[in-house]
Amino acid sequence: MPQTLSTSVDRRALLANGGTLLAAWLGCNSILAPSGARAADEPAPVSLSGLKGHAPTPLPAIDFTDEGGAARHLADWRGRIVILNLWATWCQPCVAEMPALSRLAARLSATGDIAVLPVSVDRGGAATVRRFYKARAIAGLPVLCDPQMQIPTALREEGVPLSLLVDRQGREVLRIVGPVRWDEAGAEDRIRRLASGA
């Protein structure tokens, strides 16, 4: 199993109540935390420039649903580089990370060779994500959902945000637990280099 790059802050997410991911990861909950605030124990976003990938690793089947409830599969994006980001509206580091992810997706839309797939694990599904995007003026990101938390289980991860960089062959080349500065200068080039093993 590939080594997970994580922030130094302890992850305390718990699986309980039939698979519900509790908002215990760093004690974050967007309902309780003010918008834009960062708790003292909340991890700072990491820079892509300092990250190193790992050897390409096959992934299990990763399935989720789109805004209309249709089944989608990570394999649908084979041939493109994919940023798969697992997040939740109740997780403050996720909430703080989403605008940067949205800005990156906007910059990448012209090339089309890198897909940004933010998959929400909120139990409320697409309706919850749509409300969040509207309230936070998040544009350019698809509404994708995994309310049964099948992806974290398949990846053996409990914390969010969780990001995987997937190469054009559908293999994981980088795993990051914690927020990322997705919109920093040079992010696109760094993503391409990581995906190519550089």
Side-chain angles (χ1 to χ4, degrees), residues 165-187:
L165 182 60
V166 181
D167 69 11
R168 297 179 192 277
Q169 290 74 46
R171 303 169 301 183
E172 176 186 325
V173 294
L174 178 66
R175 182 179 295 200
I176 309 165
V177 177
V180 179
R181 290 199 295 269
W182 293 111
D183 58 349
E184 66 186 356

Side-chain angles (χ1 to χ4, degrees), residues 151-169:
I151 300 173
T153 299
L155 296 176
R156 299 181 184 178
E157 291 285 356
E158 296 176 350
V160 294
L162 170 68
S163 298
L164 269 60
L165 182 60
V166 181
D167 69 11
R168 297 179 192 277
Q169 290 74 46

Side-chain angles (χ1 to χ4, degrees), residues 43-102:
V46 299
S47 170
L48 286 168
S49 64
L51 302 182
K52 295 189 183 296
H54 55 71
T57 305
L59 284 165
I62 294 181
D63 305 315
F64 43 91
T65 58
D66 65 17
E67 185 169 9
R72 300 303 305 264
H73 316 283
L74 182 60
D76 297 343
W77 283 267
R78 185 73 55 92
R80 297 171 70 185
I81 298 167
V82 173
I83 298 166
L84 179 70
N85 177 269
L86 298 182
W87 69 287
T89 60
W90 43 254
C91 170
Q92 191 59 33
C94 303
V95 170
E97 180 183 46
M98 292 306 285
L101 197 61
S102 175

